Amino acid sequence: MSLADLTHLWIDRPLMPASQAMVPPHVEVLQATEEFAPPYTELAPVQAIIAGPRLYDAAMMDAAPHLRIIARVGIGVDTVDISAATERGIVVCNTPDGPTESTAEHTVAMLLALAKRLKEADANMARGEWGPLSELIGTEVRGKTLGIVGMGRIGRRVAEICRLGLQMQVIAYSRSLTEDQAEHLGVTAGDLDTVIAGADFLTLHVPSTPETRHILNRERISRMKQGAYLLNLGRGPLVDAHALLDALNTGKLAGAALDVFDPEPLPAESPLRRHPRIITTPHTGGNTLEGRTRMEQTALEHVLAFFEGEHVADVVNPAVLHDHRR
């Protein structure tokens, strides 16, 4: 296999200019349209896909008989049927370093917006009002406890910003976090229930798996501090939305910030969109000029390396890559 074998590249959305410049001149770039639907005939000539949030299932893969690699832009690969790809000999990789800084900054921005009640204050001004200020009292975050569930790249960066920049106390849960690692990071390690119960602000940064579905369910939310805040910038299925709404409506939680939902896009009629104590963004945590360019370029590097016979990083089904190299 050589770079000449790559003739058609499929993309979910337009590439950033700097990313587009990386595509070899002989490669035709095909992009999904609003009419894109079964039987997916547009995929017939494609050898590589730069995958965004669209679901890539067995039917889509079968429509692309020449497909060899799917490079997911971002960390999560839950939108790609890994089993179906493996069965068909398709390599799947992601770009775990790409969205780290953007998503971490987004998390901190939402945390501060919750603490300072920016959504409510902005709505107050938009209505032509001016308070009363007694109803818009925020809170300082210095000295408060931040609980982090998931200490991967994003969780570690959030911990660093909040610990050093905002002088928060950080407690963290991760299945792989050791006491030595926690000490090095300047955080206190705890089990999941301890972190949930001890946090003034609780932020989620774990992938969506059967084990993590509704990791924040009604029971665990009930264990949170009275008046605590919840942030989810991991994946939508991590939080039981009905339990979250009940906790906000009863005053158990003071607010929530959500960048991810189940399902996505979030239905227009969802009460999560309009709740006065919930800040929502449409899965834009990593959607900065720098973050998006970094993710796209890394995905393209993976694709080009694959066809050039070089090392491909961040492969999630390495057995398939091994078969291609034999």
Side-chain angles (χ1 to χ4, degrees), residues 124-192:
N124 182 277
M125 293 288 286
R127 292 192 299 267
E129 300 173 6
W130 188 269
L133 301 185
S134 60
E135 297 180 2
L136 298 171
I137 297 177
T139 185
E140 292 183 350
V141 301
R142 184 174 66 172
K144 299 298 192 301
T145 298
L146 172 66
I148 303 178
V149 177
M151 285 295 283
R153 294 168 175 84
I154 295 170
R156 291 196 301 268
R157 180 60 177 141
V158 171
E160 181 181 36
I161 295 171
C162 291
R163 183 176 64 85
L164 298 178
L166 300 179
Q167 298 181 36
M168 300 182 74
Q169 305 298 316
V170 180
I171 56 177
Y173 165 76
S174 177
R175 290 186 301 176
S176 60
L177 183 66
T178 67
E179 291 289 346
D180 288 344
Q181 290 171 334
E183 183 178 359
H184 176 73
L185 295 169
V187 307
T188 300
D191 61 34
L192 179 59

Side-chain angles (χ1 to χ4, degrees), residues 3 6 9 20-29 300 304 308:
L3 192 56
L6 175 60
L9 174 69
Q20 181 67 49
M22 292 178 60
V23 179
H26 73 277
V27 175
E28 183 176 354
V29 177
L300 282 165
L304 297 177
E308 291 172 339

Side-chain angles (χ1 to χ4, degrees), residues 59-229:
M60 292 184 71
M61 297 175 198
D62 287 339
H66 306 291
L67 181 61
R68 296 294 176 265
I69 183 169
I70 298 174
R72 175 71 167 90
V73 175
I75 299 175
V77 290
D78 48 303
T79 55
V80 179
D81 188 331
I82 305 299
S83 297
T86 301
E87 290 172 3
R88 291 157 178 77
I90 299 168
V91 174
V92 180
C93 54
N94 61 353
T95 60
D97 290 318
T100 298
E101 187 63 29
S102 296
T103 307
E105 290 181 2
H106 199 88
T107 302
V108 177
M110 295 182 92
L111 185 155
L112 289 172
L114 285 174
K116 307 308 175 185
R117 301 184 65 177
L118 296 190
K119 178 176 181 176
E120 294 126 302
D122 179 75
N124 182 277
M125 293 288 286
R127 292 192 299 267
E129 300 173 6
W130 188 269
L133 301 185
S134 60
E135 297 180 2
L136 298 171
I137 297 177
T139 185
E140 292 183 350
V141 301
R142 184 174 66 172
K144 299 298 192 301
T145 298
L146 172 66
I148 303 178
V149 177
M151 285 295 283
R153 294 168 175 84
I154 295 170
R156 291 196 301 268
R157 180 60 177 141
V158 171
E160 181 181 36
I161 295 171
C162 291
R163 183 176 64 85
L164 298 178
L166 300 179
Q167 298 181 36
M168 300 182 74
Q169 305 298 316
V170 180
I171 56 177
Y173 165 76
S174 177
R175 290 186 301 176
S176 60
L177 183 66
T178 67
E179 291 289 346
D180 288 344
Q181 290 171 334
E183 183 178 359
H184 176 73
L185 295 169
V187 307
T188 300
D191 61 34
L192 179 59
D193 289 335
T194 298
V195 170
I196 288 173
D200 298 302
F201 295 82
L202 181 68
T203 183
L204 309 180
H205 299 283
V206 291
S208 176
T209 67
E211 292 74 25
T212 62
R213 177 173 176 77
H214 289 182
I215 194 171
L216 254 292
N217 54 21
R218 192 174 300 276
E219 180 183 2
R220 286 202 173 105
I221 290 175
S222 72
R223 300 177 192 169
M224 294 178 67
K225 286 184 178 181
Q226 182 71 28
Y229 297 86

Side-chain angles (χ1 to χ4, degrees), residues 41 81 123 138 141 154 235 266 305 312 322 324:
T41 54
D81 188 331
V141 301
I154 295 170
R235 284 292 183 267
L266 184 66
V312 182
H322 176 70
H324 278 285

